[in-house]
Amino acid sequence: MAQTQVQGTIVDEQGEPVIGASVLVKGTTTGTVTNIDGEFALSAPSNGTLVISYVGMQTMEVAVSPRIRVILRSDAELLDEVVVTGYGTFKKSSFTGSAATVSTDKLKDVPVTSVSDKLAGNVAGVQINSVSGQPGATESIRIRGMGSINAGNNPLYVIDGVPVLSGDMSGFNYADAGTSILSTLNSSDIENITVIKDAAAASLYGSRAANGVVVITTKKGKAGKTVFSVKANWGFSNMAVDYRPTLDGDARRELLHLGLVNYAKYTEGKSDAEAKAYADENIDTYAPKPWSGWTDWRKILIRNGQYQNYDVSAQGGNEKTKFYSSISYAKQEGIYENSGFDRITGSVNVSHQASDKLTLDVSSLFSYSDQSSVSEGYSYSSPIMAMASMVSPSSYPYNEDGTLGRYFPAIGDDWANPLRAIKYTSNKNKLTRTFNTLSGTYTITKGLKLKEVLSYDFTQNASIAWWGPQSNDGRTANGVFQKYMINTSKFNSQTQLTYDRSFDRVHNLSFLLGYETEAYKHENVYGTGSNYAAMDDPKPEIQNAAITKSSSSISEYRMLSYLGRADYNYDSKYYVSASYRRDGSSRLAKANRWGDFWSLSGSWRLTNEPFMESIREKVTDTKIRASYGVNGTQPWRYYDFMPVYSFGYNYDNQVGTSESTPGNANLKWEKNYAFNAGIDLTFLNRFTLTVEWYTRKTQDLLLERPISGTIGFVDEYNHANELVNVGAMRNSGIELELRSTNVQKKDFTWNTTLTLAHNQNKILQLNKDQDEIISYESIHRVGQPYNSFYAYEYAGVDPQTGKELYYKNTNDEHARETTTDETKANRTIIGSADPKVTGGLTNTLTWKFIDLNFTFTYSFGGKVYDGVSWLHSNGGIDLFYGAVPSHYKKEDMWRNPGDNAKLPMFANGNVDVPSSRWLLPSDHVRLKNLTLGFTLPAKLSKKVGFDRIRAYMSGNNLLTFKSKKLYVDPENTASGFVYFRAPAMRTVTFGVELGF
């Protein structure tokens, strides 16, 4: 067939070149894309047809000729943002619920291991709290506050319409970090993420959607020539903030000397001269200068971690078969030795048009990750606890002969050298995951389709903990090795019948009927060995131990669901939607097994009304909407509804059994009643404003009610509880999103997105005979936020004694009087962890061949409480033997009667008192991510054989602006209590991207 060499140019309605437009020879896989000048060249049959397409523009077909100039025109329907709910795809203009979509394209270069970090600051009402800064760690995501106390608050995750496994996949809890299953996903494979926030769409997910839904849509193939993309980047990581800074050796010695002087003067009644002599005599007991000089443990225990990532993808196909595939490798070192994350992922998506009526889709995701983590919290082997508290500059890492140092008086154990833990202990989790989906869509008749989906999500964990005989944790047992082998699977089937019809040009109907099944299974085998050979490498496996034991268990649940949805709109003005789902769960007794979840929603698109015509040029789109619905939450344990016996007890060398769960046949679903009202406004086709108000009330909260332990139902922590439905909670708030196209020119574009959210949480009811639950410095009281702090109210320093003052809070005329004796004061609610305002600011700019994208996140009004009580003592024994926080400033301390000091007297022997002095503001603004890229002009790229060459720099958590009073990372767990954990990492990478 005769061929014609075609050269052409694609432009828009303003005559500007369209970059990246697809040019395909109709009926073939031959094609190309336009360059930076909108130009293309290819060879095509002389009598052929070219199909030219671009996102947001009308597709055109033109006859082949040597010279072509095509003007693509905007398609208003295509430009309408798409909302993917998992049970269908809607245009933003017709969607009656509350949802936000984030394209990952502008965030693809941000160096993070979990896709959840891509949401930070980009969706109003979504708060992401860090559990740990170690690579691969779990995250806490809250959509419009917390809706449950015990049954979980993380959203449901859906990938390409299928609910998937989520949460912490680690076997052991020695590290707070855990292993996030979201870190198994390669963010470069994700097209967009939709967050569903109200009941209009979430109710279709029924018992799993009370806390919102995160819908992840992966990339699919496109017709045309096969396009390859290769990306590689390298960089480094360090602490994003100066976490719990401490005094150096000289400053610590001076402060402890003052503490000894104050003890002698004000406790022992010695004179100034006698007190100084006492301090001089005893200072070397607490702050001796070691043989090697003062030790900077921060430099020894904290490192700069390395980062590298490699991605290769290919996509293409023809009009019948399209594919997308990728493979990637990522490696990120943590800020500690023995902390890191390695991951390999692969994915394939294939879509095949088998006939005019049948379409088949197959997708497969595979990942393997190897995570190493270190202990956090109150573990003596925790490097962050050692650095911030338990080892002082007087302790030395090595003796003069090169052996490990043994002077660690704060711990009282000469084996507590943190380098010993680094050398002789390890905590690893190797996670293999495969997620496979097969679906077929058959068109029965025009508008009527049947879709069948089968999916299988499987993970296998190999969690290993090793405490060598030379380690502090393993020396008593002469070495301990533990291994968990865990298999977790979820099988999901969906049958969906959909019908869409329009008639008389103004009536548009859509129906969905569905049937689903879900089967979950968790199997584990645990083995442990102790007493290993006294050698440098005792081969840590269970079979090499002198003493071994093992156990295993299986847990399962099933769920069966029926669902339906009906949508109607009249003339693209009035929209009504209704949904219903009925779930049956094996976690509940037969009488309460079935739960009904539903929603009603509607919207009015005022733009299409005649009375808006006069202002339509300025107010180009206006829509008001509202929704109300019910969804729920299941019990988090699978068998609490029935009495359970447990075997496995040794009773005089015979098999023993005991009742382990009393059972509560009255257990039922938590119910979440949600109302949402919003308005969407677009001005001048450049500014889009969305304002929403919501309230959601959770009833029949699942709580563990204390029962008498004498009847024998005591758990592993010696607590006797029964799971019951009591209590209620409400979240209400307002959200705002403003998007603007600031500049739109040929060589320069600038877009901005601002999000803002306020949520108020309140407990409405607890147990019928209880209106508050107090646990140390935490209180859950009716009428107050769940995450409230409870302690004495700090009132400053007593000028006469130098002691801490507290307001009495006695509920009488003496309430605002002060006392230095906390037993004469009452504890009170001193604040809440919940911020008043959260949000983000994103800017995207392009100028010629340069692109810049950055996001600031912010949070104001929240508090954190420092739970490390022994650091609050103003001179207690732990401060004298361990590290001293730098907020103990000698120049601000009380010295003599009459001093108006900022800080109380520092004296040996003082004790800590929980008070609002240790309540810290979590207010902050953080440069969450930034990417700066340079794309080589297409003409130069072509000369070296590539369609695209781009170099870039990207960073995460680059800058943090916070209160000087806050000495921990401002992004913390939802509870607001801070202890010892890895802070967020600042990561900077440099990369290159090639397309051909």
Side-chain angles (χ1 to χ4, degrees):
M1 184 178 292
Q3 298 286 308
T4 298
Q5 190 64 32
V6 182
Q7 292 185 331
T9 304
I10 311 299
V11 297
D12 61 17
E13 294 167 285
Q14 286 73 43
E16 302 291 346
V18 178
I19 306 168
S22 171
V23 182
L24 182 69
V25 178
K26 188 174 182 178
T28 73
T29 60
T30 303
T32 186
V33 294
T34 56
N35 61 23
I36 196 169
D37 298 314
E39 300 171 345
F40 71 93
L42 54 69
S43 180
S46 301
N47 61 348
T49 301
L50 299 181
V51 180
I52 301 168
S53 61
Y54 188 75
V55 176
M57 293 184 172
Q58 297 174 359
T59 299
M60 293 191 65
E61 296 187 6
V62 296
V64 170
S65 64
R67 299 291 302 178
I68 293 176
R69 186 175 188 272
V70 178
I71 300 174
L72 290 183
R73 305 188 183 280
S74 297
D75 189 327
E77 293 298 314
L78 291 175
L79 286 173
D80 196 358
E81 184 180 337
V82 171
V83 176
V84 181
T85 67
Y87 288 104
T89 300
F90 299 85
K91 295 172 183 175
K92 183 78 171 179
S93 60
S94 64
F95 187 61
T96 56
S98 176
T101 299
V102 177
S103 172
T104 60
D105 182 61
K106 297 181 179 63
L107 301 171
K108 62 183 179 180
D109 303 321
V110 177
V112 294
T113 55
S114 177
V115 298
S116 62
D117 291 324
K118 307 279 187 180
L119 297 175
N122 285 286
V123 180
V126 175
Q127 188 176 358
I128 301 175
N129 298 300
S130 173
V131 174
S132 171
Q134 296 194 66
T138 56
E139 58 286 300
S140 169
I141 299 179
R142 299 288 183 269
I143 298 176
R144 294 182 168 179
M146 63 176 294
S148 179
I149 293 177
N150 289 316
N153 283 285
N154 282 333
L156 172 70
Y157 291 92
V158 175
I159 298 180
D160 294 332
V162 177
V164 295
L165 297 170
S166 61
D168 183 6
M169 305 304 291
S170 61
F172 299 108
N173 59 1
Y174 301 124
D176 293 343
T179 303
S180 171
I181 196 170
L182 291 179
S183 63
T184 63
L185 302 177
N186 176 18
S187 59
S188 295
D189 292 335
I190 296 175
E191 186 73 33
N192 59 59
I193 303 173
T194 299
V195 179
I196 299 172
K197 297 185 281 187
D198 74 335
S203 289
L204 268 181
Y205 290 100
S207 61
R208 300 162 294 179
N211 300 305
V213 184
V214 176
V215 181
I216 298 172
T217 302
T218 60
K219 292 180 178 178
K220 306 297 189 294
K222 299 177 182 178
K225 76 167 188 176
T226 300
V227 177
F228 294 90
S229 177
V230 178
K231 187 172 72 172
N233 57 337
W234 311 266
F236 61 89
S237 302
N238 54 27
M239 288 196 296
V241 297
D242 187 11
Y243 184 85
R244 291 192 181 273
T246 56
L247 298 179
D248 61 27
D250 289 327
R252 176 177 176 270
R253 184 179 172 94
E254 290 180 14
L255 180 60
L256 297 190
H257 188 276
L258 174 62
L260 292 170
V261 169
N262 287 336
Y263 169 78
K265 284 177 63 176
Y266 299 108
T267 302
E268 298 295 323
K270 297 181 183 294
S271 65
D272 288 351
E274 290 172 330
K276 183 178 183 305
Y278 172 84
D280 292 342
E281 180 182 351
N282 289 278
I283 187 62
D284 284 334
T285 302
Y286 305 104
K289 192 166 187 177
W291 69 271
S292 54
W294 301 120
T295 305
D296 187 345
W297 285 99
R298 191 168 295 254
K299 286 185 178 180
I300 294 173
L301 299 176
I302 304 298
R303 67 176 180 180
N304 284 336
Q306 303 298 310
Y307 179 92
Q308 54 184 304
N309 184 75
Y310 309 92
D311 278 315
V312 179
S313 67
Q315 63 174 315
N318 54 35
E319 293 178 350
K320 284 188 173 292
T321 305
K322 306 176 184 67
F323 74 93
Y324 171 89
S325 64
S326 74
I327 187 169
S328 75
Y329 171 73
K331 179 181 178 66
Q332 184 170 25
E333 294 178 344
I335 58 174
Y336 314 129
E337 294 288 343
N338 295 347
S339 175
F341 185 80
D342 288 63
R343 181 188 67 198
I344 298 173
T345 69
S347 70
V348 176
N349 282 336
V350 179
S351 179
H352 177 65
Q353 186 76 40
S355 68
D356 292 341
K357 291 181 174 292
L358 179 63
T359 301
L360 299 175
D361 293 282
V362 178
S363 66
S364 181
L365 177 150
F366 170 82
S367 73
Y368 171 79
S369 62
D370 186 349
Q371 181 193 34
S372 297
S373 54
V374 299
S375 297
E376 297 174 287
Y378 287 157
S379 170
Y380 286 151
S381 60
S382 164
I384 201 76
M385 178 175 168
M387 174 195 78
S389 172
M390 303 313 293
V391 296
S392 76
S394 293
S395 297
Y396 39 92
Y398 298 99
N399 299 316
E400 293 184 72
D401 61 2
T403 59
L404 289 171
R406 293 195 172 194
Y407 176 71
F408 299 94
I411 304 175
D413 192 328
D414 58 5
W415 278 56
N417 191 329
L419 296 183
R420 186 179 294 276
I422 291 173
K423 187 175 182 180
Y424 297 114
T425 68
S426 62
N427 185 18
K428 289 180 173 290
N429 189 41
K430 299 179 181 181
L431 178 64
T432 302
R433 183 189 193 186
T434 177
F435 174 58
N436 304 288
T437 303
L438 170 66
S439 68
T441 303
Y442 184 79
T443 302
I444 300 172
T445 185
K446 183 179 180 181
L448 182 63
K449 295 181 179 180
L450 176 67
K451 182 177 182 181
E452 186 70 28
V453 181
L454 300 175
S455 73
Y456 186 66
D457 195 359
F458 175 81
T459 65
Q460 183 176 79
N461 299 52
S463 295
I464 298 170
W466 166 241
W467 307 332
Q470 304 94 330
S471 70
N472 193 35
D473 291 328
R475 61 171 173 160
T476 303
N478 199 32
V480 177
F481 180 80
Q482 301 174 80
K483 178 180 283 189
Y484 251 124
M485 296 297 295
I486 305 171
N487 289 345
T488 307
S489 64
K490 178 185 283 190
F491 175 79
N492 179 272
S493 72
Q494 302 179 18
T495 302
Q496 299 174 11
L497 185 68
T498 58
Y499 180 68
D500 296 279
R501 184 184 176 187
S502 298
F503 53 95
D504 294 339
R505 297 186 179 183
V506 293
H507 299 286
N508 302 281
L509 284 170
S510 176
F511 296 98
L512 165 71
L513 293 175
Y515 169 76
E516 290 187 19
T517 65
E518 182 175 292
Y520 172 91
K521 188 174 185 178
H522 178 93
E523 302 176 85
N524 74 72
V525 176
Y526 169 79
T528 180
S530 60
N531 197 0
Y532 283 82
M535 52 192 295
D536 290 339
D537 182 10
K539 306 301 180 184
E541 281 295 343
I542 294 174
Q543 69 175 4
N544 295 328
I547 302 172
T548 64
K549 64 178 182 178
S550 62
S551 64
S552 65
S553 69
I554 298 177
S555 56
E556 301 178 82
Y557 74 79
R558 301 283 189 274
M559 189 163 70
L560 183 68
S561 305
Y562 303 92
L563 58 98
R565 186 193 66 221
D567 299 288
Y568 170 77
N569 87 72
Y570 174 77
D571 200 20
S572 298
K573 295 180 185 178
Y574 314 110
Y575 300 82
V576 178
S577 179
S579 69
Y580 172 78
R581 182 181 180 115
R582 183 168 173 81
D583 283 341
S585 172
S586 65
R587 303 189 200 183
L588 297 167
K590 288 186 177 180
N592 299 314
R593 182 156 292 168
W594 291 92
D596 299 304
F597 310 99
W598 55 270
S599 72
L600 292 172
S601 59
S603 64
W604 178 19
R605 198 174 182 191
L606 284 76
T607 304
N608 294 338
E609 296 288 357
F611 61 79
M612 294 288 290
E613 187 172 350
S614 62
I615 60 172
R616 195 169 294 161
E617 291 185 1
K618 294 182 179 180
V619 184
T620 47
D621 198 11
T622 305
K623 183 177 72 172
I624 56 176
R625 50 189 165 79
S627 67
Y628 181 80
V630 181
N631 41 41
T633 305
Q634 306 176 71
W636 68 97
R637 292 193 294 258
Y638 306 151
Y639 312 114
D640 277 76
F641 69 92
M642 60 181 174
V644 174
Y645 284 83
S646 296
F647 295 92
Y649 298 95
N650 187 329
Y651 185 76
D652 193 23
N653 292 323
Q654 300 297 315
V655 176
T657 183
S658 71
E659 291 181 289
S660 55
T661 303
N664 179 5
N666 296 318
L667 272 183
K668 54 186 178 181
W669 310 83
E670 284 189 354
K671 288 291 186 72
N672 189 81
Y673 301 84
F675 173 79
N676 186 90
I679 182 169
D680 304 308
L681 298 168
T682 301
F683 303 95
L684 304 174
N685 271 328
R686 292 180 58 188
F687 306 98
T688 301
L689 174 66
T690 297
V691 180
E692 299 187 80
W693 179 82
Y694 65 88
T695 181
R696 64 180 183 128
K697 181 181 179 182
T698 308
Q699 294 186 172
D700 297 322
L701 287 169
L702 290 161
L703 292 175
E704 290 188 300
R705 182 172 59 192
I707 59 176
S708 173
T710 59
I711 60 176
F713 298 107
V714 180
D715 63 19
E716 58 185 310
Y717 305 106
N718 290 321
H719 297 156
N721 296 299
E722 178 189 25
L723 189 62
V724 295
N725 291 97
V726 293
M729 178 186 294
R730 183 173 62 227
N731 289 272
S732 57
I734 189 170
E735 296 170 354
L736 178 148
E737 180 184 88
L738 176 63
R739 298 186 182 186
S740 66
T741 302
N742 305 318
V743 180
Q744 185 73 48
K745 294 185 177 180
K746 176 182 178 181
D747 292 330
F748 181 50
T749 63
W750 176 19
N751 298 307
T752 299
T753 300
L754 171 69
T755 62
L756 180 149
H758 164 73
N759 181 76
Q760 184 176 23
N761 171 271
K762 182 184 290 188
I763 299 174
L764 302 179
Q765 180 186 342
L766 292 172
N767 291 334
K768 294 181 180 179
D769 56 350
Q770 189 177 24
D771 62 2
E772 64 182 27
I773 301 173
I774 300 173
S775 176
Y776 300 100
E777 284 72 60
S778 173
I779 185 171
H780 312 309
R781 177 183 289 171
V782 172
Q784 297 294 328
Y786 180 81
N787 292 313
S788 294
F789 302 113
Y790 191 64
Y792 298 103
E793 186 180 1
Y794 181 65
V797 180
D798 182 8
Q800 298 305 312
T801 64
K803 295 182 179 181
E804 292 177 313
L805 285 170
Y806 311 100
Y807 290 108
K808 291 183 177 180
N809 288 315
T810 51
N811 297 320
D812 57 23
E813 66 273 15
H814 305 291
R816 303 314 291 169
E817 294 179 2
T818 59
T819 178
T820 58
D821 183 357
E822 72 276 7
T823 64
K824 297 179 180 178
N826 290 328
R827 291 198 291 169
T828 187
I829 293 180
I830 57 175
S832 169
D834 300 339
K836 302 298 183 185
V837 177
T838 61
L841 177 66
T842 299
N843 281 275
T844 303
L845 302 94
T846 62
W847 179 72
K848 294 184 181 296
F849 56 89
I850 300 173
D851 60 272
L852 173 66
N853 183 82
F854 59 90
T855 296
F856 282 96
T857 58
Y858 62 86
S859 175
F860 300 106
K863 305 290 184 182
V864 297
Y865 187 86
D866 188 358
V868 188
S869 58
W870 65 82
L871 295 181
H872 306 164
S873 62
N874 303 308
I877 193 65
D878 292 298
L879 290 177
F880 263 74
Y881 280 122
V884 178
S886 62
H887 55 72
Y888 282 108
K889 297 181 180 179
K890 182 181 175 183
E891 62 273 18
D892 292 338
M893 290 179 175
W894 184 93
R895 302 290 186 90
N896 299 294
D899 287 351
N900 290 311
K902 294 181 182 179
L903 298 179
M905 174 179 64
F906 190 91
N908 189 17
N910 281 350
V911 296
D912 60 274
V913 175
S915 76
S916 58
R917 179 183 173 192
W918 308 107
L919 189 69
L920 312 172
S922 62
D923 302 347
H924 71 278
V925 175
R926 171 167 275 174
L927 180 53
K928 193 65 179 177
N929 55 67
L930 180 147
T931 300
L932 177 63
F934 302 87
T935 302
L936 197 67
K939 292 181 180 179
L940 297 178
S941 299
K942 292 287 188 182
K943 288 183 179 181
V944 292
F946 293 97
D947 295 327
R948 174 182 172 85
I949 299 177
R950 177 174 174 266
Y952 62 90
M953 182 279 291
S954 187
N956 191 46
N957 298 322
L958 294 176
L959 296 172
T960 303
F961 305 95
K962 61 180 181 60
S963 169
K964 293 181 179 179
K965 296 179 181 179
L966 185 66
Y967 42 78
V968 295
D969 195 280
E971 294 179 353
N972 275 285
T973 57
S975 70
F977 284 92
V978 294
Y979 304 98
F980 298 111
R981 69 171 185 87
M985 291 196 299
R986 177 193 296 115
T987 303
V988 177
T989 62
F990 302 89
V992 62
E993 184 180 356
L994 305 175
F996 54 95

